[in-house]
């Protein structure tokens, strides 16, 4: 078992060569949003950009795609037909995924039966590293036998882990470690169980991350974690290392943001502090 510390970032960030160019540091697809929850993918995408990925495209239903596009000129959006993700657009979504280095899916999609079915149809056919967060966790939970063994990283909190595994975990760290390791091993995935101390396992190795603080309880802080993690996957970092590093950076950025904003801290504040964490290990 290992404890995640600053040294993990040296596996992510190294001085760039003079002749690097766009796409050398990854192209990411974020799949999320719905008529009900249109803005969640914004947090994922902006966190990914701040973590250093070169290109992020958000695939979202038509109405939320307009809201997302109007939020920032940094965000590139691919509009999908309809108000919610549906099985009719899975083929199109797979085509968009071609040429992408990694996928993040889940934020704001909702847990409607047809949406979960569409997520499953997409996940069973995708052959990319995927961060499964938020509503996509419920799709994986429903179809986990069919989806086991794929290159997936799941980021549940305690209740979502119960949905995945059927096991309720409390605050006992040993209990959480055992549960996460066993689930990750059984389904051949990597799991980041979020909490006061994050437990990360690929079924063989286990790491503990203690960064973060008690102000990070608002909706959206899990989406920033997913964005950072997806950025690292797109940069060709292996899933376990990416998960450890993302948990560390998200927590540290949250600590820095909370020092400034206290209980008023927002996920968008955390995103702005991601570069401050990175600068601790590399500067330009």
């Amino acid at each position: 078992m290992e404890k995640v510390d600053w040294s993990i970032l040296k596996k992510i960030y190294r001085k760039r060569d003079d002749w690097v160019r766009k796409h050398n540091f990854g192209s990411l697809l974020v799949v999320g949003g719905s008529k009900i929850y249109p803005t969640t993918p914004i947090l994922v995408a902006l966190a990914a950009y701040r973590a250093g990925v070169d290109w992020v495209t958000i695939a979202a239903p038509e109405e939320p795609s307009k809201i997302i596009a109007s939020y920032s000129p940094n965000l590139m959006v691919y509009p999908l037909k309809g108000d919610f993700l549906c099985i009719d657009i899975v083929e199109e979504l797979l085509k968009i995924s071609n040429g992408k280095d990694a996928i993040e899916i889940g934020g704001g999609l909702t847990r409607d039966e047809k949406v979960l079915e569409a997520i499953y149809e997409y996940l069973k056919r995708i052959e990319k590293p995927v961060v499964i967060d938020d509503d996509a966790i419920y799709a994986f939970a429903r179809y986990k036998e069919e989806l086991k063994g794929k290159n997936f990283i799941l980021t549940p909190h305690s209740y979502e882990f119960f949905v995945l595994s059927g096991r309720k975990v409390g605050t006992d760290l040993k209990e959480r470690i055992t549960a996460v390791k066993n689930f990750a091993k059984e389904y051949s995935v990597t799991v980041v169980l979020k909490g006061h101390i994050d437990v990360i396992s690929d079924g063989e190795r286990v790491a503990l991350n203690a960064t973060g603080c008690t102000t990070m309880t608002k909706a959206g802080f899990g989406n920033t974690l997913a964005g950072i993690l997806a950025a690292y996957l797109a940069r060709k970092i292996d899933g376990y290392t990416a998960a450890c590093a993302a948990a560390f950076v998200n927590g540290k950025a949250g600590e820095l943001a909370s020092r400034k904003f206290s209980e008023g801290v927002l996920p968008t504040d955390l995103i702005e502090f991601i570069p401050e964490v990175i600068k601790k290990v590399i500067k330009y």
Side-chain angles (χ1 to χ4, degrees):
M1 190 183 307
E2 58 184 305
K3 293 185 178 180
V4 185
D5 59 26
W6 285 102
S7 65
I8 191 72
L9 298 191
K10 294 179 180 179
K11 298 180 180 180
I12 310 292
Y13 299 105
R14 300 178 179 86
K15 202 74 172 178
R16 297 186 176 197
D17 295 334
D18 292 340
W19 287 86
V20 293
R21 58 181 177 80
K22 185 167 59 179
H23 297 305
N24 284 167
F25 294 87
S27 181
L28 172 66
L29 178 65
V30 173
V31 183
S34 64
K35 184 177 180 179
I36 299 174
Y37 304 111
T39 59
T40 307
I42 294 173
L43 297 174
V44 179
L46 291 179
Y49 268 135
R50 288 299 191 192
V53 75
D54 276 351
W55 188 293
V56 184
T57 300
I58 299 173
E62 285 177 304
E63 187 173 326
S65 72
K66 295 174 184 177
I67 296 170
I68 294 165
S70 68
Y71 181 83
S72 169
N74 297 304
L75 300 174
M76 286 160 281
V77 187
Y78 189 102
L80 302 167
K81 291 182 180 179
D83 295 328
F84 299 88
L85 193 71
C86 66
I87 203 163
D88 294 340
I89 57 86
V90 169
E91 288 291 343
E92 185 177 10
L93 196 55
L94 288 165
K95 289 179 181 178
I96 304 167
S97 304
N98 290 334
K100 305 300 181 184
D101 298 301
I103 314 295
E104 191 279 343
I105 186 169
L109 289 174
T110 77
R111 299 166 201 165
D112 181 86
E113 294 288 334
K114 292 181 180 179
V115 172
L116 296 183
E117 183 182 358
I119 296 171
Y120 163 63
E121 289 295 328
Y122 175 70
L123 290 177
K124 78 175 182 180
R125 296 174 61 186
I126 194 72
E127 296 299 331
K128 307 272 184 179
V130 182
V131 177
I132 296 178
D133 186 41
D134 209 330
D135 297 322
I137 288 174
Y138 288 78
F140 185 92
R142 180 165 299 187
Y143 300 102
K144 59 189 176 185
E145 293 297 332
E146 293 89 342
L147 296 173
K148 69 190 323 184
K150 304 198 75 172
N151 190 6
F152 293 161
I153 298 89
L154 286 72
T155 58
H157 53 57
S158 293
Y159 181 75
E160 289 169 338
F161 186 76
F162 167 68
V163 172
L164 284 168
S165 67
R167 180 169 180 176
K168 292 183 178 180
V169 291
T171 58
D172 183 85
L173 198 53
K174 290 183 179 179
E175 176 190 20
R176 293 170 80 90
I177 291 168
T178 299
V180 170
K181 185 178 181 181
N182 288 345
F183 183 87
K185 186 172 184 178
E186 182 175 359
Y187 293 97
S188 298
V189 294
T190 298
V191 177
V192 182
L193 176 58
K194 298 175 287 193
H196 173 59
I197 296 176
D198 304 314
V199 179
I200 304 147
S201 181
D202 61 0
E204 299 296 331
R205 297 167 290 182
V206 176
L208 304 178
N209 174 65
T211 63
C213 51
T214 55
T215 56
M216 295 171 63
T217 55
K218 296 185 179 75
F221 286 111
N223 300 115
T224 58
L225 168 64
I228 299 167
L229 173 50
Y232 295 158
L233 292 180
R235 289 172 61 130
K236 309 295 196 304
I237 306 299
D238 72 271
Y240 178 75
T241 301
C244 291
F248 182 88
V249 170
N250 195 64
K252 276 294 176 186
E255 289 174 13
L256 294 174
S258 295
R259 287 175 194 170
K260 181 175 181 179
F261 295 103
S262 186
E263 295 212 4
V265 68
L266 298 172
T268 47
D269 300 322
L270 182 153
I271 289 168
E272 296 308 308
F273 278 94
I274 293 170
E276 296 302 314
V277 178
I278 296 170
K279 285 193 289 187
K280 298 289 186 181
V281 294
I282 190 165
K283 295 181 180 180
Y284 290 92

